[in-house]
Amino acid sequence: MLRITFHGHACFSLSDDKYHVLIDPFISGNPLSDLRAEEVAPTHILLTHGHGDHLGDAIEISKRTKALIIAPNELAVYCQMKGAHVHNMHIGGSRRFDFGWVKLVPAWHGSAAIEGSNIIYTGNPCGFVVEMRGKYVYHAGDTGLFKDMELIGEMYDLDCALLPIGDNFVMGPGDALRAAKMLRAGLTIPMHYNTFPVIEQDPQQYVLKLKEEALNGKALNPGESVEL
């Protein structure tokens, strides 16, 4: 059984009885997070891109717990230079790890870390398709709508899709609804909303729109889980 837990913004845990995969651990400074960065103990960390609300506490968590960060090459190198444990990948590449299988897929966004007055480019952003316990989960990362989401839905029998709905920086609810229709996942969970005023949305309204399209959706509160 695979457990998916929402931790606010775009942070999720994928866990079974042995492994804990933490995605985009924006914990410190996240008003919606249910976690404490100094207490979380993942076995692996997936990073979609280098913006602070996704890179978050990943480096410090990796240094403390030895959790392996899996990320696009430039971002992985950046984390390694800061002392983290990393595995470099890139879009189109896949690899089997001890917890399951990971493939990097495109995301239309940016990726950079900001240090003081410096902006450090951290390569292309990505989404992840993860197979764990025989279940396929798509974390879209930060992205706009793109037609190849249809291809992702054709290639993988997705059990769950995690889609941003906040608008402004990412897809809004309307585009995220079109994305869900292309992906045809067994369950669609909205993310990347209500953390800041500029991305305020009603996730329950999005779930209702999914239902109108005969799609299964669920909005999770921080700390709430679903099991596949």
Side-chain angles (χ1 to χ4, degrees), residues 9 33 35-36 39 42 62 82 86 92 114 144 154 188 194 216:
H9 203 56
S33 181
L35 300 176
R36 293 174 62 89
E39 296 176 356
S62 175
K82 300 287 186 179
V86 307
I114 299 175
E154 290 174 0
T188 299
N194 292 352
N216 185 27

Side-chain angles (χ1 to χ4, degrees), residues 146-210:
F146 57 97
K147 184 65 171 176
D148 282 350
M149 287 180 174
E150 187 172 31
L151 181 61
I152 294 171
E154 290 174 0
M155 292 177 66
Y156 309 104
D157 185 12
L158 297 174
D159 295 282
C160 184
L162 312 173
L163 301 181
I165 67 165
D167 215 346
N168 195 76
F169 299 110
V170 295
M171 295 187 289
D175 282 358
L177 180 62
R178 295 197 67 174
K181 290 166 66 176
M182 288 191 285
L183 292 161
R184 309 301 299 185
L187 175 66
T188 299
I189 297 174
M191 64 174 181
H192 205 283
Y193 61 87
N194 292 352
T195 320
F196 318 111
V198 73
I199 57 170
E200 287 182 358
Q201 299 292 342
D202 183 350
Q204 299 299 339
Q205 186 63 31
Y206 176 68
V207 169
L208 288 175
K209 292 295 184 181
L210 289 170

Side-chain angles (χ1 to χ4, degrees), residues 24 47-56 71-72 75 109-112 122-126 128 141-142 192:
D24 284 356
L47 294 179
T48 62
H49 64 291
H51 292 161
D53 58 331
H54 295 262
L55 172 61
L75 177 55
H109 197 60
S111 183
T122 50
N124 291 325
C126 75
F128 288 103
D142 276 12
H192 205 283

